[in-house]
Amino acid sequence: MRLSAMGDVAMTVPVLRAFVKQYPTVKITVISRPFFKPFFEGIPNLDFFAFDEKERHKGFPGLLKLYSDVKKLKIDAFADLHNVLRSKIVSLLFALSGKKRATVDKGREEKKELTRTENKIFKQLPTMFERHAKVFEELGFPLDLSSRSVGTDFPEKAVLSSDILEIIGNENKKLIGIAPFAQYDSKVYPLDLMKEVIEKLVQNPANKILLFGGGKKEIEILDSIAESFENVINMAGKIKFQQELQLISNLDVMLSMDSGNAHIAAMLGVKVITLWGSTHPYAGFLPFNQSLENALTADRNKYPKLPTSVYGNKIVEGYEDAMRTISPEKIVNSIQSKL
């Protein structure tokens, strides 16, 4: 399988956990960037193949080498869960060699209908998890993704290292993660309102807030927030990625935008409250095993053109403040209901 961006990769993990449980005699090899290897650790019958996009597997000649490298593993079928040019080329090479292949249908036309400003068709589309499961079904492996089937397939909470405990302490508090950023501004909850959310949460001394993000600018903002409140700690830039996964697995709840952090928390079995601005969970990106009531969306009565984008990269004039219709009180109540 060929995987890429963080959220995309995280969304495959629950599906693969369901697969190995329902087909314990089948071996899976995941092809992705080395950075994502920690996502798949501990999954039985699953090997990880590191895709070297900068050197060995760079460009079209590199894809030929990738095909040659993976072919040596004697695979029987190729599941393309990414559906981009590179994965299509490798998938085609396997098909030409007589192997079964199936490619995820991302539903691009349906998503255009959902996000266009005129003649919008506002309806729930298949989730990415359902779309991934369809790929395996086409290869002869139908999957049951119901909570009855996969609700217990999440990994155990990780044992936190001394490095992490030195930062967050070892008190018996409710750990609330907050990931306030996203790739596009239209998906980011206004910072002044987020501070109100944090202020309300820290009024309860039983709560501890852990902030997540990355990049110099985000770290500076998170540091300034953490310095303003008791029981608020910025984790960005302080621990390694694998340690971050361990910490997230210990959260009682995660508050996130429509972003990769939401899918990481969900793949670890954590309850996730998501905030949606220009995007909407109907496009199929609601985190795994989370109900729609956990997804707080901007007011479509006031902003009827929502959702205006699948990924948040389109800006519609006059919709800049759409997320302000999600009140801090509503967010806090949603978080508290999960604790």
Side-chain angles (χ1 to χ4, degrees), residues 37 39 88 94 100-101 111 118 134 149 184 193 195 211 225 243 263 269 279 326 328:
K37 186 177 181 181
F39 282 8
K88 287 179 180 178
F94 276 105
K100 288 184 179 180
R101 67 157 175 172
K111 290 172 182 175
E118 304 295 333
K134 185 72 174 176
S149 175
Y184 299 105
L193 297 185
K195 288 179 181 178
L211 305 178
I225 294 174
Q243 291 176 309
H263 297 295
T279 59
I326 308 173

Side-chain angles (χ1 to χ4, degrees), residues 191-209:
L191 197 58
D192 61 314
L193 297 185
M194 183 58 79
K195 288 179 181 178
E196 288 187 34
V197 170
I198 294 172
E199 185 176 16
K200 293 177 187 297
L201 289 172
V202 297
Q203 287 176 6
N204 184 343
N207 294 337
K208 176 164 286 188
I209 313 299

